[in-house]
Each structure stands twice: as structure tokens, then as C-alpha cells.
Amino acid sequence: MLENIGKRIQTFLLILIIVLLSVIMAVVGFGTPGAEGCAAGGPSYAARVYGETITEGDFRSAYIITNFNRVPTQRAQAQRLREYTLDGLIERELLVREAERLGFSEDPDEVMRDVAREEVVLLSGPVDAPMGYPAGRIQIDARDRHGNFSADYLRRIIQNHLRRSVAEFVEWQVDERLANQVRDMVTATVTVSPREVWDAYVQETERARMSYVRFDPRHFRGEVELTDEAISGWMEENAEEIDREYRRQRHRYTDLPEQTHARHILIEVGREASDAERAEARALAESLLARLQAGEEFGPLAREFSSDEGSAARGGDLGWFPRGRMVAPFEEAAFGNEPGTLVDELVESQFGFHVIEVLGRREGDVPEDEAKREIAEDLYLRDRAKELAREAADRALAYLNEGHTMEELDERLLHGWDEAPAEAAPEEDAAEGEDAAEGEEPLEDLEEEEEPERGPNAPQVRETRSFGRSERAMPEDTGALTQAAFEMSLDEPLPEEPMEIRDSWYVYRLTEREEVDREAFDADTRERLRRRLTREKEREVLSAYIGHLRAQAEADGAIRINPEILSYGVSEEEGEGGEESGEETASR
């Protein structure tokens, strides 16, 4: 009985609220302080859709109800909050137009009754808004200090905070309800099959992990021998490609400033190096210069000793360069010596000591044959390096197929396929200890052999993180490696051949595979996935429907936007009625 009395009281209060709001609409609805209707000359527009005006006040109210007016300007601009707000209002007008065409209607009294009862404001967000975008049903607080709903507080929120008249607010909410009717109609036929729910479960729960090695052609460029015979043969076989590339790059070979072609060996010296370290680096550089003067080839020494990894891989070759690109001491030597000469003294710069050989000099227009040969060298180097990378990948996969582990492969790659240095046997260690006990001095001065260093693009074994079917096994993956992982099994964890991904070759092994747990596919999980898939499908269907409406409106020339409304020139936090909302909150 008490429950029935409570329901009657609630109904009575709601009716009283509606009556009060109706009186407010009649008295102040078309001219309240702060409402846009009293502005001199009428409201300016934010956009027009088929002749219907979205006013600046409409835009401002939507911007305030989402609290976008409190977002700092730079962040608001980066997140495109004004664009999203206006898109939502334009899409709402398109849907309202559809609702009217279909004969839908809404009762303003019923709309306001829902606002009062549920304390929510409806707001259309753009269909392509990012996750978490504040739209749909936005909660408001229209209760007094005792926690009771207050029609007067609701009126003050509408007029002072949102800066709307009650009549404008009612019209806004009626339009939102009409737009939602069309949305409901469009999405009413969306269904999700049990098979789709199961596939989503598999995507979500099945996971894998892999070990892999990337064979990057850049690492193998230093192994390519640029002999005249090899390049000439490649030019004969690829004449069309060279011609095509020359036409594309011809501007690089005309009207050139003076350029020189040089190669170097850099023995690096750190800025905080001691005198002894500097002297040691100089001694090494001088010994290399002496070896070159005695007739040794430049390229192999550069590959072995140069600290400049970029050029070392090319035998120290720096290519052609104009004045002003290199540091002053280096440039003076490179341009101050005749082509075809080895600079007879070391050159010292802030990087260390340089051994330099000048290979050529040019200026003006480069003859076509010379330009084409230079292009051919680059193309040949690219193709041959890629071939070497593939050959290395094939060798690595064959090694794994012989039964070796990824750890063993990593050791072989680290030592250039040589056997790793064997560790001393325990018996030998014991014997050495006995000898030392008999009076022999231990060989303390012998240093342990250092592990070789890997270059930045050198092949080495790496591990992926755990990934699912809808994820990427690693950042460089295009999706092919992920797909391959779920087509393999732990019984056959290796591929038939290396995989090419973005010009590199990959050898990989499946190391973990987490299968689907059918027992965990319970009713709650199915319902959760069904709801998620339904939301995604509804969004997709709405996106297509609203996209069609907007495309048609734009084709009809029926959408006009005032660009000033999208300006972020004024601080979002200070503008758009932020102070008034603060005063309203404080007054409670």
C-alpha cells in the first residue's frame, strides 16, 4: 500500500513539474536574459542544413553540455572538438529531416517529463566520433541542497548555464528524440549470429608468441663487391630500369656546384678521451695509413676498422658531396687534394682521426653515361644486398630445420657463422689451479675474448610479445606474420621459407600457442561479446546511412558552414559561458 502511495506522489510531482515548466515556457520562453532570442538582429548561424539554421547558440549549448568549453585551447584543437560538435549537430538536422519525411513525431510535454524524471539532456554526437566521446544521454544535476529535484534549478541550468530559453531547450530535445527515432529504425534489423560471437571469442582469447630474425638488406650492403664486371653485366640486363630511373633523377645531375667523391676510415675519439686514449687512436690511424700507402686495399680496412658504421659498410665510400656538407678539416683535405690520391697525412676533426682517399671531382652537368653508371651502382647495390639477405635467411632456416635452436642460431649469427669460442673445460681450469699452487704465476694479464658487437641492422634473434589474431606480432608486421602464426602449430613451428616484409626477410619459429578455452565460453561471455558486436554493427550501419544523407546534402549544396564557428582563437576554458556555470554551481 505504501508503495502505491509513493508512486502516486511521484506521478503528482512530475505532473506538477510539467505544469510549472509549461508556465515558464509561456512566460519567459521567448525572451529570457542570456537566451539567444533577445539578441539584437537575431542569432548568427553556425551552419545551415536544407534551409534550417543551426544557430551559434545551438552550437554553444552543445559545446557547454559536454564541458568542451573547459578544455584548454590547444588540446581542444588537437582533438577537433569544435569540428566534432558541429558534425553532430549537422547529422542531427539531417536525421530530423528524415524523421519528418517518415512522419515521426514527439510530444514536447512527454519530452520534458523524461528530462525531469531522468535528469538527462540528449545530445547527438557525430557517428565517427572517437571512443569515449560525450554524447547520447548526458546527466545533469537539477537537485537542491536537500537532494530533491527542483524545476527552478532545471530552469536556471537551461537559461544561465546552457544560455537557452526553455522553449529553445524543448525544441532542442524534441529534435534529439526525433533523430533517435530514425537511428532506432536504421539499427532495428542489426543482428549478430552465434558464429560471429564465437569468432570474436577466438579473436579475443587465442594468442601466440614467436621468435624471429630479421635479415635487413642494409646490413649486407657492405658485403656487396662493386666490381666493374658485375655492374656492367647488371646494366646490360636492366637497361630499361636504369633509363627510367635516370629520367626520374636527371635533375640531380645538371648544373651541379663543385663536388668531390671521397672515402674515409674514421678512428673515433670521444670528447672526454684521455691523452693516452687519443694517442692510441692516432697510432692506429697512422698504422692504417701506412698499410694503405704500402698497397693494401681501402675497402676491407674501412669495413674492419672504421667507426663510421654508415660508410664502413660501403668500404668507407661517402659518395659525392658539395662544399659545406662536411666538417671544415675534412672538407679542406677532400677538396684540396687531386682525385685519385690518398691524403698523405691524417686529418683530425671533432670526431677523431680520418684517413681519406679522394676518388673524383665534378661540376656542372654530369654526362649521361656517367650519371647512368652511378645510378646503376646504387640499384645494383640495392638488389644484390637484398639477394644476400635472402641467402642468409635461407641458410638460417636450413640450420633450424636441422634441429638447432634459436639460441644456437643467434650465436652463429653473432660470430658470422663461425663456431663460438669454446669455454675452458673444468679439468683444464683445475689443472691451471694446481700449477698455480705449485708456484707458477697465474696468467692474470690475459684478457677474456670480447664478444663481437652487432651493427644496428645486424640479424639477431628477437622475441615477440604475446599477440592475438587481431593484433600485430611486431611493429613492422603487415599482418602476414600474425596470420602465419595462427596457421602453424607447435608440432611444426617453422615456415617452409622465409617471409618478405617491407624489403627484409624474416625467419621465425612459433614458441607459444594459447588455444581457445571452450569451457570459458559461458553465457555471460557470449552476452558480453554479443552486445559489443551489436554496438559495432549499429555504428557501422549508422555510419553508412548518415554518410549517404550527408553526401546527398553536399551534392545538393544544402550544407553551409560558417567557418568562424570552428575557430579556436579564444581560450576554450575562458569562453563559452564558463564563468556563468561556475557561479551557478557555487550558488547551490
Side-chain angles (χ1 to χ4, degrees), residues 478-532:
T478 58
L481 196 59
T482 300
Q483 180 179 347
F486 289 100
E487 292 174 352
M488 300 166 68
S489 69
L490 293 174
D491 294 331
E492 296 183 4
L494 294 172
E496 294 182 359
E497 60 181 4
M499 178 180 292
E500 183 180 8
I501 301 176
R502 295 194 173 103
D503 291 332
S504 292
W505 295 96
Y506 287 79
V507 171
Y508 48 94
R509 180 195 290 272
L510 181 67
T511 57
E512 292 182 17
R513 182 71 174 276
E514 186 177 339
E515 301 290 346
V516 174
D517 182 1
R518 290 183 175 272
E519 292 184 2
F521 189 55
D522 54 22
D524 290 342
T525 301
R526 289 195 294 272
E527 179 59 22
R528 175 179 60 81
L529 291 171
R530 187 196 65 77
R531 287 197 302 267
R532 191 198 82 194

Side-chain angles (χ1 to χ4, degrees), residues 264-461:
H264 79 142
I265 300 173
L266 170 65
I267 305 302
E268 189 174 18
V269 179
R271 294 183 177 181
E272 299 180 0
S274 65
D275 291 342
E277 290 171 333
R278 182 173 294 277
E280 183 181 355
R282 175 181 282 277
L284 174 57
E286 288 176 342
S287 70
L288 294 173
L289 177 59
R291 291 169 66 176
L292 290 169
Q293 290 171 335
E296 286 197 46
E297 292 188 14
F298 199 104
L301 290 180
R303 293 186 183 95
E304 183 177 355
F305 292 100
S306 182
S307 303
D308 180 4
E309 294 181 354
S311 66
R314 301 188 299 273
D317 196 342
L318 295 166
W320 291 93
F321 54 89
R323 292 182 183 273
R325 181 172 298 177
M326 302 297 181
V327 292
F330 189 100
E331 180 179 293
E332 183 179 346
F335 282 91
N337 286 269
E338 292 298 319
T341 61
L342 180 69
V343 178
D344 57 8
E345 293 183 355
L346 294 182
V347 174
E348 184 175 359
S349 74
Q350 66 259 42
F351 301 109
F353 298 100
H354 305 262
V355 179
I356 303 174
E357 183 179 13
V358 181
L359 301 175
R361 188 78 40 73
R362 69 187 183 187
E363 188 175 2
D365 294 344
V366 178
E368 182 176 332
D369 290 346
E370 183 179 332
K372 284 186 175 181
R373 186 166 187 87
E374 184 177 320
I375 290 172
E377 288 181 7
D378 290 340
L379 296 177
Y380 173 77
L381 181 62
R382 177 202 66 189
D383 287 0
R384 183 60 186 141
K386 190 170 182 179
E387 290 175 1
L388 291 175
R390 173 61 193 263
E391 291 170 8
D394 287 336
R395 183 178 183 181
L397 182 57
Y399 183 76
L400 293 173
N401 277 318
E402 291 171 2
H404 295 285
T405 66
M406 294 295 277
E407 291 75 15
E408 290 173 326
L409 172 62
D410 197 46
E411 280 294 312
R412 299 302 296 271
L413 294 172
L414 176 63
H415 295 90
W417 287 101
D418 294 329
E419 292 287 352
E423 296 183 1
E427 295 80 3
E428 294 176 1
D429 293 339
E432 289 176 6
E434 292 173 4
D435 292 340
E438 293 174 3
E440 283 192 22
E441 294 292 333
L443 301 178
E444 295 177 354
D445 294 335
L446 289 178
E447 296 182 0
E448 294 184 5
E449 185 173 345
E450 294 183 1
E451 286 286 300
E453 294 185 3
R454 299 184 196 263
N457 301 307
Q460 69 179 101
V461 174

Side-chain angles (χ1 to χ4, degrees), residues 131-170:
M131 292 293 293
Y133 186 89
R137 299 165 61 85
I138 298 179
Q139 201 73 36
I140 58 173
D141 182 7
R143 294 178 179 271
D144 60 22
R145 66 190 58 187
H146 303 294
N148 300 316
F149 177 83
S150 169
D152 185 51
Y153 274 147
L154 177 59
R155 176 185 60 79
R156 289 163 63 184
I157 289 173
I158 293 170
Q159 294 179 343
N160 298 339
H161 181 47
L162 300 179
R163 300 172 70 182
R164 302 274 77 189
S165 70
V166 175
E168 289 168 334
F169 179 81
V170 173

